[in-house]
Amino acid sequence: MPEVIPNLLYVIASIPLPISAMLILVIDLGFELIISLTFAWDKPESSTGLMRLPPRKPVTNASVERRRRLATRALPPVYDAESGEEVKPSAWAVFQHNFKAMFTAIYWRERFESTEDEVLVDAGLLSWAYLEIGIIETIGGLITFFVVFYKEGGITPAMAVQMQKDDKFSAEGTESDKDLLAQAQSTFYLGVMIMQLFNMFACKTRYRLPFGKYMFSNIRSFVGIVFGCALGFFIVYTPGVHVVFGTSPNTKFIYLLIPMAFGVFIIFYATLRQLILRRL
């Protein structure tokens, strides 16, 4: 969301582009890829934590009945005319059978029937990613973006929109205006990276609160953080490299305190969310 919404506002509301496509790729294929790999070494939340979770794919009367219906609707066996042995049906026969089934009422009723199976991408995950943390990170990134404009150039959000409409940040603009946009984009980019670090710890637990000793149980998480952050700061502050990615080595660290504050709020929000869900 902090990558999509700013680009939509760039098109719809004509704000200066907060983050370029190149920096989005660096976040998704560089920083977040490094961080996500460290999840493979996460330890169990506790020795008895698995027993606190509901069983996967529980066997119920509804699930047994559904499997019985699926078995009766399966493609009937095909036998060899000479040997009498069962043979595998042809791909065309399977296609015909499945295609005809799509025009039956029971096919569509089963498609929308609750199976009680474990779902990896459920409504809670989508809400967390797109409506909750995604929006928080978007707000934090945009606030940081416009604070840089105001503190470094005395430019308000309304003035920035007008400058964008007048092509002040294009190739025809002044070097100071282009560097100011690069500083704001660099801060937005690093801000998203910082907030995602806090989000990493916020979504590590399923039934424990997202802080405490468990945060430090996987040392590889911090190795990933070091390499991920090193990549981010290398892109922003290395001479010559910043030209390729449209960043600015003049970016000041002080503005990164804003996304850090939003990161702390993400941990607080995740904790409050866990406590509320426990009571439901």
Side-chain angles (χ1 to χ4, degrees):
M1 297 308 288
E3 297 169 351
V4 174
I5 292 179
N7 277 273
L8 290 177
L9 293 176
Y10 167 71
V11 175
I12 298 172
S14 296
I15 69 170
L17 183 62
I19 186 169
S20 64
M22 183 73 74
L23 292 178
I24 290 176
L25 289 175
V26 173
I27 291 176
D28 295 344
L29 302 180
F31 167 76
E32 291 192 349
L33 180 62
I34 295 173
I35 294 297
S36 61
L37 289 175
T38 65
F39 275 64
W41 288 274
D42 275 355
K43 297 180 180 179
E45 295 183 45
S46 72
S47 58
T48 60
L50 189 62
M51 300 305 296
R52 300 185 185 184
L53 301 178
R56 297 182 178 183
K57 296 185 178 181
V59 179
T60 62
N61 292 333
S63 65
V64 172
E65 175 63 21
R66 182 172 181 273
R67 292 184 177 90
R68 186 190 64 79
R69 291 201 309 267
L70 291 175
T72 57
R73 196 165 53 81
L75 184 68
V78 180
Y79 299 95
D80 184 74
E82 297 181 358
S83 64
E85 296 181 354
E86 184 177 351
V87 296
K88 182 179 179 180
S90 65
W92 175 247
V94 174
F95 173 78
Q96 283 183 309
H97 177 79
N98 294 335
F99 184 77
K100 292 178 181 178
M102 293 175 59
F103 296 93
T104 61
I106 190 173
Y107 175 88
W108 294 105
R109 185 165 62 248
E110 290 174 352
R111 280 290 177 271
F112 294 98
E113 182 181 34
S114 176
T115 63
E116 298 182 350
D117 293 346
E118 183 182 49
V119 180
L120 293 179
V121 181
D122 56 8
L125 177 61
L126 293 175
S127 174
W128 173 267
Y130 294 103
L131 300 180
E132 299 173 58
I133 299 304
I135 299 300
I136 293 174
E137 290 190 7
T138 301
I139 295 173
L142 289 175
I143 289 177
T144 307
F145 181 73
F146 285 111
V147 165
V148 173
F149 269 109
Y150 183 75
K151 299 298 290 186
E152 294 298 315
I155 299 173
T156 64
M159 294 169 61
V161 170
Q162 188 59 48
M163 292 177 66
Q164 176 64 29
K165 292 179 179 179
D166 295 337
D167 292 329
K168 296 292 186 180
F169 301 115
S170 63
E172 290 76 19
T174 64
E175 289 299 322
S176 60
D177 288 340
K178 289 188 289 186
D179 184 68
L180 180 59
L181 176 61
Q183 289 184 50
Q185 288 181 336
S186 301
T187 310
F188 186 95
Y189 158 66
L190 293 175
V192 172
M193 184 181 70
I194 290 171
M195 288 184 287
Q196 280 292 79
L197 289 178
F198 286 90
N199 184 33
M200 177 188 71
F201 291 106
C203 63
K204 269 182 177 286
T205 57
R206 298 184 65 177
Y207 60 89
R208 294 180 59 167
L209 298 181
F211 58 83
K213 292 190 296 183
Y214 183 73
M215 294 178 62
F216 306 95
S217 61
N218 182 7
I219 191 63
R220 291 178 176 86
S221 294
F222 296 93
V223 175
I225 289 173
V226 171
F227 280 99
C229 291
L231 175 63
F233 287 108
F234 174 82
I235 288 173
V236 173
Y237 293 104
T238 303
V241 177
H242 71 278
V243 178
V244 179
F245 293 93
T247 56
S248 173
N250 299 320
T251 303
K252 296 181 179 179
F253 283 92
I254 188 67
Y255 299 117
L256 299 181
L257 292 177
I258 300 175
M260 286 182 183
F262 273 87
V264 174
F265 177 75
I266 287 174
I267 296 294
F268 170 78
Y269 177 85
T271 303
L272 183 62
R273 186 177 187 267
Q274 285 269 36
L275 294 175
I276 293 176
L277 291 178
R278 286 181 181 180
R279 296 179 176 273
L280 297 181

